[in-house]
Amino acid sequence: MSEHFNYIFMKLINFIFILILMTLPIIAVRYDVLTLHNNIPEQSLTEWTEEMFLAITAGSFLFIGFTDTKHHHGFILISAFFFCMLIRELDSFFDNAVFHGFWVYPAIITAITALYYSTQKRENTLNTLYLFVKDKNFPILCIGLAIIFVFSRLFGMDVFWHQVMGSDFQRIVKNIAEETTELLGYTIIIYAAVNYVFSFNNKKSII
């Protein structure tokens, strides 16, 4: 009886944590728009939060890769995917530091290097990817990616907001809608990634 109660209690705590976590996109966007009075530019709390979440996500899978040699190659590949996303988010930094569109080159180098490295032990990589997609956190991760790659892009299309607001079109409204949903996606991704680290370590300790 007490075991069931503890399980339910922990799930309720987790639910409350999720509720709090879901406020982060709103807090970041509200701070940018209402406190800093900006148009959510590349250098904003919202963008910095997205980049930080991506860095933690990539680092989480990199951590597993370096602490478990059995699944090293596979998690290096997974980590590289999110590092490529991070490089893309840092496009403004690379534009100012080097030249416009430079982000493509470090992203390609990262992707090719990780793909080449992962093929050195194909069975290791395949087994890791199998465990990765089999984990309960994988669908949550996919939802976050879908929000970033599909929902936020479609929801933030200029043509849609021009049709909605007509002559009263204000870019800040469009930016708020797009950046809030995009940060929501990154929030879901970091939740899934951190949970995956704990889940993976628990399975290791059992084994």
Side-chain angles (χ1 to χ4, degrees):
M1 185 70 177
S2 61
E3 183 180 345
H4 291 172
F5 175 80
N6 289 337
Y7 182 82
I8 294 171
F9 178 74
M10 291 306 298
K11 290 298 180 181
L12 287 174
I13 294 297
N14 185 57
F15 175 64
I16 293 172
F17 173 74
I18 292 173
L19 293 179
I20 297 172
L21 192 64
M22 290 299 104
T23 65
L24 293 182
I26 302 300
I27 292 173
V29 171
R30 283 176 63 91
Y31 183 79
D32 278 326
V33 176
L34 300 181
T35 302
L36 299 182
H37 304 289
N38 62 38
N39 199 31
I40 316 181
E42 292 293 336
Q43 302 301 319
S44 63
L45 179 62
T46 302
E47 291 288 341
W48 292 333
T49 305
E50 292 175 357
E51 292 159 8
M52 179 183 68
F53 282 2
L54 265 178
I56 294 173
T57 299
S60 297
F61 293 116
L62 191 65
F63 170 77
I64 298 177
F66 278 105
T67 55
D68 190 319
T69 55
K70 185 179 178 182
H71 302 97
H72 178 70
H73 290 71
F75 278 111
I76 292 297
L77 180 63
I78 295 168
S79 177
F81 170 77
F82 290 103
F83 271 120
C84 287
M85 289 181 63
L86 176 59
I87 293 170
R88 175 62 182 89
E89 282 295 330
L90 292 170
D91 61 330
S92 177
F93 167 78
F94 289 114
D95 289 348
N96 295 326
V98 191
F99 58 81
H100 183 73
F102 177 79
W103 71 269
V104 172
Y105 298 100
I108 290 175
I109 292 172
T110 301
I112 292 176
T113 303
L115 284 169
Y116 174 77
Y117 186 70
S118 65
T119 58
Q120 300 307 296
K121 289 191 177 181
R122 292 185 179 85
E123 188 175 352
N124 176 296
T125 301
L126 186 60
N127 290 339
T128 301
L129 293 177
Y130 172 75
L131 291 175
F132 179 66
V133 300
K134 188 180 178 183
D135 189 87
K136 62 182 179 181
N137 293 294
F138 181 72
I140 301 174
L141 190 72
C142 288
I143 291 172
L145 289 172
I147 290 174
I148 295 168
F149 291 144
V150 180
F151 185 84
S152 68
R153 298 292 182 267
L154 294 177
F155 193 51
M157 290 178 65
D158 280 357
V159 62
F160 171 71
W161 289 100
H162 275 291
Q163 291 174 341
V164 170
M165 292 185 282
S167 59
D168 296 322
F169 175 79
Q170 296 183 50
R171 179 160 295 277
I172 183 63
V173 177
K174 176 258 185 192
N175 286 352
I176 289 173
E178 183 175 8
E179 293 300 331
T180 303
T181 52
E182 188 172 346
L183 184 50
L184 174 64
Y186 285 119
T187 303
I188 294 173
I189 285 175
I190 192 175
Y191 173 81
V194 172
N195 269 281
Y196 190 90
V197 173
F198 285 110
S199 174
F200 188 83
N201 286 334
N202 287 336
K203 288 176 182 176
K204 264 180 60 177
S205 63
I206 293 173
I207 296 173

